[in-house]
Amino acid sequence: MSFSFGQPTRPRRPNLTPMIDVVFLLLVFFMLASRFGTDMILPLDLAGSGAGGYSGPPRLVDIRPDGLALNGVPIAEGELASRLSTLADTAQDAIVLRARDGAELQRVIDAMELLRAGGFEQFVMVE
């Protein structure tokens, strides 16, 4: 006596349609959530990189969370460019920037923009 359980069935393939839908939804989400555009580039030379010799009087700008200092003397932001112009021979003379006391990067960028508005173009960043 032999038993028959009916015709053998083929193994079912998994349905990939829901998985493909999820992948496309994730793709659309990350495309819409990402930021498109160019990033800002900071044109800074690093101290000791040999990009040219330093000459003239010291021009060290300390950038602190609560203000700026020129050669160790606190200075108002509006006076920085005019005081530096007396220390620099040309606008291409290097201005040394140093972040102090946990100053944020945005403070450094603000100081650079302030100096650019005053006509200075060459900056060197030190620790």
Side-chain angles (χ1 to χ4, degrees):
M1 183 180 233
S2 85
F3 292 103
S4 174
F5 294 109
Q7 291 187 359
T9 59
R10 283 197 229 158
R12 295 187 64 189
R13 289 186 173 176
N15 188 2
L16 296 179
T17 304
M19 186 176 72
I20 292 172
D21 290 344
V22 169
V23 169
F24 280 119
L25 285 174
L26 287 173
L27 178 68
V28 169
F29 171 77
F30 285 113
M31 285 177 59
L32 294 176
S34 64
R35 232 182 69 196
F36 294 105
T38 59
D39 293 330
M40 184 177 151
I41 298 172
L42 297 176
L44 287 174
D45 292 329
L46 296 176
S49 64
Y54 185 91
S55 64
R59 297 178 292 271
L60 174 64
V61 178
D62 285 327
I63 303 165
R64 295 188 168 96
D66 57 348
L68 300 173
L70 176 60
N71 295 330
V73 178
I75 189 169
E77 290 183 5
E79 297 177 16
L80 181 63
S82 63
R83 292 278 300 276
L84 272 172
S85 63
T86 62
L87 298 174
D89 295 331
T90 66
Q92 284 75 29
D93 285 348
I95 308 297
V96 181
L97 304 176
R98 177 173 60 179
R100 305 287 291 191
D101 303 329
E104 295 180 358
L105 178 62
Q106 186 60 48
R107 291 279 300 149
V108 175
I109 294 171
D110 292 342
M112 286 178 59
E113 289 177 354
L114 185 67
L115 291 169
R116 271 189 217 286
F120 296 100
E121 300 171 2
Q122 187 73 21
F123 304 111
V124 177
M125 189 77 180
V126 296
E127 289 185 326

